[in-house]
Amino acid sequence: MSGCYPLTSTDRNFQGRSYECMSDCSDMSNYLSRCHSCRVESGCFMVYDRPNFMGNQYFMRRGEYADYMSMMGMRDCIRSCRMIPMHRGQFRMRIYERENFGGQMYELMDDCDNIMDRYRMSDCMSCHVMDGHWLMYEQPHYRGRMMYLRPGEYRSFRDMGMGGMRFMSMRRIMDM
């Protein structure tokens, strides 16, 4: 089969019932009661531990994830997933120290492994993604919980349900 999709299974090691998802799926429970393994045939996906693209987010690229729960530290099974379109061209994102695009502003065109070291910026609370798709991480060096950002304005991470998280590193999602 061609295209971008994860093949998901109810049990670890691809056992039990399976479901092929070829686009965004806001509620996997319509197809599977639980999902504990995943195979991404091509492309990249964000998977979420709650329906409607909510909760903790995990990035998956082409590969097999026979027991991603223990591998990624995921506490629950996949409840929804979003396909990430591959972007070709320039990447641009403006990050802001405060909500509603307030405080210091810096424009990124490449990965930043530590905003404190690079910009002396202790917090990032809003951003505007102009080009490309990005992952933001709560810790330096692309560690900890993450959030997927596609082009658009993000005025308040707190209002998006990310209250209490401080984003300290950012990475472009590129075709690898």
Side-chain angles (χ1 to χ4, degrees):
M1 293 183 136
S2 62
C4 300
Y5 57 91
L7 170 67
T8 56
S9 298
T10 56
D11 296 319
R12 289 168 179 77
N13 299 313
F14 312 105
Q15 301 297 307
R17 291 184 42 219
S18 66
Y19 171 70
E20 287 184 15
C21 182
M22 299 184 76
S23 62
D24 294 355
C25 181
S26 63
D27 191 354
M28 299 286 288
S29 67
N30 292 332
Y31 310 102
L32 298 170
S33 60
R34 64 188 186 279
C35 174
H36 292 289
S37 58
C38 180
R39 180 180 296 126
V40 179
E41 298 290 334
S42 64
C44 300
F45 279 80
M46 286 306 289
V47 297
Y48 303 81
D49 62 5
R50 292 187 20 217
N52 299 313
F53 318 112
M54 301 295 288
N56 292 311
Q57 305 179 27
Y58 302 89
F59 177 69
M60 294 186 169
R61 64 172 24 103
R62 182 183 167 105
E64 292 191 348
Y65 304 87
D67 185 7
Y68 63 82
M69 289 178 69
S70 61
M71 183 178 82
M72 301 173 119
M74 199 169 180
R75 289 185 288 275
D76 203 354
C77 57
I78 296 174
R79 299 291 184 198
S80 56
C81 68
R82 174 165 276 152
M83 186 177 79
I84 300 173
M86 278 302 111
H87 174 75
R88 306 226 187 274
Q90 178 175 294
F91 285 78
R92 280 188 337 142
M93 173 172 60
R94 289 187 182 139
I95 59 173
Y96 298 85
E97 175 181 42
R98 296 193 190 109
E99 294 180 335
N100 294 311
F101 314 124
Q104 295 181 63
M105 182 277 292
Y106 294 98
E107 187 167 310
L108 284 76
M109 296 181 78
D110 58 1
D111 299 348
C112 176
D113 69 347
N114 190 328
I115 63 171
M116 181 61 132
D117 288 351
R118 185 183 288 183
Y119 302 116
R120 299 289 176 240
M121 192 173 174
S122 62
D123 211 348
C124 173
M125 298 184 72
S126 60
C127 76
H128 179 193
V129 176
M130 284 87 75
D131 296 301
H133 297 256
W134 297 75
L135 289 175
M136 294 184 79
Y137 296 82
E138 72 176 334
Q139 297 173 17
H141 309 290
Y142 319 114
R143 297 181 190 272
R145 291 182 296 175
M146 63 182 78
M147 179 171 67
Y148 165 58
L149 299 171
R150 51 190 176 183
E153 294 184 346
Y154 300 88
R155 294 183 170 277
S156 171
F157 297 143
R158 185 173 37 99
D159 291 348
M160 294 170 58
M162 297 294 172
M165 279 183 70
R166 294 176 57 179
F167 293 104
M168 301 304 293
S169 56
M170 296 85 188
R171 175 177 274 166
R172 299 164 293 164
I173 300 175
M174 301 174 70
D175 189 14
M176 297 187 196

